[in-house]
Amino acid sequence: LVKGWRGGGVGTSWTYERGNRAVGSAWISVSVDLWCWVTIFVLFTSRTMVGFVAGGWGLKSSGASARVNKRRTVMVAQETEAPKSKMWGDGTDGSACPPADTDFAKKFESIRDAKVPTVTDTMAKFNESFARPVPSVYRSIVNEIITLNHLTTVCPMWRYDAVFGFGFTQIMDKYFSFYPSAEEKEKLFSCIVGALSGLDLQKMRDDTKAVEAFIAGKTEDEVLSMIESGSSEGPVLSAFQYVKEAEFYEWYYSRNFGFGVIFIIEQLGGELTDENVERWAKAIGASEVKIKDELGVYLSSLERLKQAEQMFADLAAREKKKAADQLAVDAKAALEEAEEAKKAVEN
């Protein structure tokens, strides 16, 4: 016998009547919306939510957490036990990736899996043979020469020729022209070449003489005409002709080759400009961009060479002054000693 029911956002009232007389009423005040009570009820009675909360507290027996942990365990076990793919070979069972069916792969199949020395190995070999301190102005140059030439000589596409040897010897002579001791400079050069694979110092010296003999008395246009005619006479033309005809994987460009071209142009009396170097690069079939880069490196290094020359000139002047001062001190001491000896005789 409910007379009426009134619901509100913050409270609810029921009035009970028997006949025409109200027998009681009640007002229940709550601090939250009725729907909050519904939400709280669902939260604490739902098996899923209870399992989630319990799983967050580390209760392994909770429903949802237990199921999630079980799925993770199964996934990890399957991943651990799954056999490794042998599609490429991982080396654990002696398998290896099969060689590609290309001309490049067939050409270098004989050196497949060959042991190649690292830059660290080459530097260690140099330091062992040249157990002397390198002046600070030359230390970075030595490291750069060894590193770049190591990466060149271990490349199977690289091929030594007289132009490479000419560029190597010429750049070494120019870079180290003001080295404090001529004997130490020759020892340094020998140790650098000895640390690198595939290089022979005496052969490079001989090839340098042969290149200089070839270009002596010739003009730049004459040599370019010989190159364009396809002549392979002599060490210079044979090297250039090989570059023109070689496949991309049969010849490897190197910085010393670029230097060799630049020094040939220089000794022929040609201009060391980007345009002229580009003309030579097109004639021999080499990279125009790379040889122009080497020209920039060479021209910028001339400034460093001037700084080194000035530094060693100042050092030599200081050493001479120091030696002269020492001689003056020794002479004065000898004179005083002679005067004292004379006085002793007279007495």
Side-chain angles (χ1 to χ4, degrees):
L1 300 175
V2 178
K3 178 71 175 179
W5 174 53
R6 181 175 72 252
V10 295
T12 302
S13 174
W14 291 270
T15 301
Y16 304 94
E17 292 186 358
R18 178 173 297 175
N20 294 325
R21 184 169 57 90
V23 295
S25 66
W27 179 266
I28 303 175
S29 297
V30 295
S31 61
V32 292
D33 192 275
L34 179 62
W35 294 108
C36 291
W37 288 102
V38 175
T39 303
I40 294 172
F41 174 78
V42 172
L43 177 65
F44 285 96
T45 57
S46 170
R47 179 177 177 82
T48 302
M49 296 304 299
V50 171
F52 174 79
V53 174
W57 293 334
L59 302 179
K60 302 295 184 179
S61 60
S62 64
S65 179
R67 287 193 296 272
V68 170
N69 288 336
K70 183 177 180 180
R71 285 197 297 270
R72 289 176 178 173
T73 303
V74 172
M75 290 173 65
V76 171
Q78 290 175 347
E79 185 180 27
T80 304
E81 297 172 1
K84 294 183 178 179
S85 172
K86 300 300 180 183
M87 179 177 180
W88 299 111
D90 59 4
T92 56
D93 60 349
S95 63
C97 175
D101 187 18
T102 62
D103 293 338
F104 181 88
K106 293 174 182 177
K107 181 176 179 62
F108 300 108
E109 174 63 23
S110 61
I111 59 173
R112 182 178 172 81
D113 298 327
K115 179 175 175 55
V116 179
T118 64
V119 174
T120 303
D121 296 335
T122 301
M123 289 299 300
K125 189 175 180 181
F126 166 76
N127 291 328
E128 183 179 352
S129 59
F130 192 79
R132 300 171 177 81
V134 178
S136 58
V137 70
Y138 288 113
R139 193 172 300 125
S140 61
I141 297 176
V142 169
N143 291 339
E144 182 177 353
I145 289 174
I146 293 176
T147 301
L148 289 179
N149 284 284
H150 165 85
L151 297 175
T152 296
T153 55
V154 299
C155 177
M157 295 186 295
W158 173 74
R159 177 178 180 270
Y160 174 84
D161 55 44
V163 177
F164 177 96
F166 180 63
F168 199 130
T169 56
Q170 288 293 298
I171 200 65
M172 289 291 291
D173 289 342
K174 291 179 182 294
Y175 277 172
F176 298 93
S177 57
F178 305 109
Y179 205 78
S181 168
E183 182 180 353
E184 286 290 306
K185 180 179 73 173
E186 188 62 26
K187 176 66 175 176
L188 175 66
F189 194 6
S190 177
C191 291
I192 290 175
V193 175
L196 297 166
S197 305
L199 295 183
D200 181 81
L201 179 57
Q202 188 58 49
K203 179 171 178 53
M204 288 196 293
R205 293 292 192 194
D206 294 342
D207 286 339
T208 296
K209 294 178 181 179
V211 171
E212 291 174 339
F214 168 78
I215 62 181
K218 293 183 176 64
T219 65
E220 187 179 13
D221 290 336
E222 288 176 348
V223 175
L224 282 173
S225 297
M226 293 178 182
I227 295 172
E228 292 171 356
S229 68
S231 175
S232 58
E233 180 182 356
V236 175
L237 295 179
S238 62
F240 288 158
Q241 192 64 27
Y242 180 84
V243 174
K244 289 176 64 175
E245 298 176 354
E247 297 290 341
F248 80 96
Y249 53 80
E250 292 180 339
W251 183 74
Y252 180 77
Y253 175 85
S254 64
R255 169 165 288 184
N256 285 323
F257 181 88
F259 282 151
V261 174
I262 291 170
F263 296 139
I264 288 174
I265 297 172
E266 187 178 44
Q267 293 197 17
L268 286 171
E271 296 182 353
L272 295 182
T273 61
D274 286 348
E275 293 75 14
N276 197 33
V277 167
E278 184 175 347
R279 182 168 69 120
W280 274 80
K282 289 180 178 179
I284 63 180
S287 171
E288 303 165 20
V289 174
K290 290 182 178 179
I291 295 185
K292 286 195 293 186
D293 286 345
E294 311 310 353
L295 177 61
V297 170
Y298 171 60
L299 295 178
S300 64
S301 67
L302 294 179
E303 183 62 30
R304 287 192 294 173
L305 293 176
K306 292 179 181 178
Q307 295 175 1
E309 179 183 10
Q310 184 62 41
M311 186 190 74
F312 285 116
D314 295 342
L315 180 61
R318 288 196 298 270
E319 290 296 328
K320 289 180 180 179
K321 185 178 184 302
K322 183 178 179 181
D325 293 343
Q326 187 61 43
L327 286 175
V329 171
D330 294 342
K332 183 179 179 180
L335 181 60
E336 292 176 352
E337 184 178 352
E339 290 178 354
E340 291 178 359
K342 182 179 180 181
K343 289 180 182 180
V345 172
E346 291 177 352
N347 294 334

